[in-house]
């Protein structure tokens, strides 16, 4: 399976790995806080393992600095949302604003990364011609 | 004082854990073991620090060290882009995440 995934060059695939890793982070952070029985702890540990496995896959192609900022950011925003929506924490406008600015940063990194990738592949294409 | 020291070491170990995510992707020796050990110790030290330092603040500082440290590590160790636009985006994510952890 690893070999197959290495063969795919799609950057979007790598970005979806990071997003999925961040979403799983929400589950395991909630699990660490709220898990009470063996089954819930099992799911929590499994989510931690899969989430780091996805990070490793994505770090083959994406800069690790970008990757970790996005992973930690999505995890934080998602956890705050989950606490409000699922676990009944009080709703707070400031939280929503900060989640918004955080997503702007994530989208910015994604756009920049696509541009850098494009520049690099164009550069490599020219090298081949020379 | 010892709690703050534990928190800072937790942040540094987190960055070393992140470094081993990259090393694992590059198929370097023992990366998986290092990743588990460093993240594991980092979490233990974080929860120890939370005995004395308020949870939101401890978590915010830990995330801050991890994000800034990983960005710097990427640039100095793995030659990742240093454009100011990229650093601005990372700073925006960092500021929002720290803010969320402080008020949550």
């Amino acid at each position: 399976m690893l070999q197959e995934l290495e063969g795919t060059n799609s950057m979007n695939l790598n970005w979806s790995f990071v997003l999925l890793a961040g979403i799983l982070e929400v589950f395991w952070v909630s699990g660490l806080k709220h898990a009470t029985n063996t089954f819930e702890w099992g799911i929590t540990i499994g989510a931690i393992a899969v989430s780091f496995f996805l990070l490793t896959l994505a770090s083959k192609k994406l800069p690790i600095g970008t990757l970790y900022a996005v992973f930690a950011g999505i995890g934080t925003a998602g956890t705050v949302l989950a606490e409000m929506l699922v676990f009944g924490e009080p709703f707070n406008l400031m939280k929503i604003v900060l989640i918004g600015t955080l997503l702007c940063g994530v989208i910015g990194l994604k756009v920049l990364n696509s541009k850098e990738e494009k520049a690099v592949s164009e550069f490599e294409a020219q090298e081949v011609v020379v | 004082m010892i709690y703050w020291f534990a928190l800072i070491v937790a942040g540094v170990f987190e960055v070393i854990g992140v470094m081993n995510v990259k090393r694992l992707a590059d198929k370097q020796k023992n990366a998986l073991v290092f990743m588990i050990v460093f993240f594991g110790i980092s979490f233990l030290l974080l929860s120890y620090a939370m005995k004395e330092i308020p949870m939101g603040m401890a978590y915010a500082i830990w995330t801050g060290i991890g994000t800034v440290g990983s960005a710097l590590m990427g640039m100095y160790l793995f030659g990742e882009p240093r454009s100011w636009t990229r650093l601005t985006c990372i700073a925006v994510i960092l500021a929002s995440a720290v803010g969320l952890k402080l008020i949550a």
Side-chain angles (χ1 to χ4, degrees), chain A residues 21 23 26-27 40 43 49 59 68 73-74 76 98 107-108 110 116:
Chain A
I23 293 167
V26 178
F27 281 92
E40 286 171 2
I43 297 215
S59 71
Y68 201 67
I74 299 273
T76 305
L98 287 174
I107 293 166
K110 163 89 173 77
E116 278 157 8

Side-chain angles (χ1 to χ4, degrees), chain A residues 20-65:
Chain A
L20 194 57
I23 293 167
L24 278 171
E25 190 191 357
V26 178
F27 281 92
W28 63 256
V29 169
S30 303
L32 289 176
K33 254 190 205 169
H34 303 282
T36 47
N37 55 42
T38 319
F39 176 71
E40 286 171 2
W41 277 109
I43 297 215
T44 304
I45 307 282
I48 293 178
V50 176
S51 143
F52 278 93
F53 174 70
L54 289 170
L55 270 191
T56 307
L57 284 185
S59 71
K60 285 176 206 279
K61 294 281 173 187
L62 291 174
I64 192 78

Side-chain angles (χ1 to χ4, degrees), chain A residues 62-110:
Chain A
L62 291 174
I64 192 78
T66 296
L67 194 77
Y68 201 67
V70 172
F71 170 70
I74 299 273
T76 305
T79 305
V80 171
L81 271 181
E83 289 291 320
M84 284 193 292
L85 297 175
V86 183
F87 299 105
E89 283 284 318
F91 181 87
N92 175 333
L93 185 65
M94 196 58 204
K95 289 180 186 170
I96 305 295
V97 172
L98 287 174
I99 289 173
T101 54
L102 192 147
L103 290 179
C104 290
V106 170
I107 293 166
L109 282 180
K110 163 89 173 77

Side-chain angles (χ1 to χ4, degrees), chain B:
Chain B
M1 194 59 209
I2 185 77
Y3 295 98
W4 284 97
F5 182 72
L7 182 57
I8 290 166
V9 175
V12 173
F13 275 34
E14 183 194 4
V15 176
I16 300 175
V18 176
M19 185 175 91
N20 281 287
V21 170
K22 173 74 179 161
R23 290 183 72 246
L24 183 61
D26 294 342
K27 297 200 169 71
Q28 305 252 9
K29 242 182 157 182
N30 296 330
L32 181 63
V33 177
F34 283 141
M35 188 178 98
I36 294 171
V37 167
F38 278 101
F39 272 118
I41 298 176
S42 177
F43 276 121
L44 287 179
L45 287 172
L46 174 64
S47 63
Y48 174 72
M50 281 175 178
K51 283 184 183 176
E52 196 62 29
I53 302 164
M55 195 177 125
M57 186 188 283
Y59 210 5
I61 292 170
W62 183 78
T63 307
I65 298 176
T67 307
V68 173
S70 301
L72 292 176
M73 178 191 64
M75 293 189 302
Y76 286 101
L77 247 51
F78 302 112
E80 292 173 0
R82 299 180 182 207
S83 68
W84 67 268
T85 38
R86 176 169 180 263
L87 296 180
T88 306
C89 287
I90 293 179
V92 168
I93 295 176
L94 173 67
S96 313
V98 167
L100 281 172
K101 283 179 167 152
L102 287 178
I103 61 174

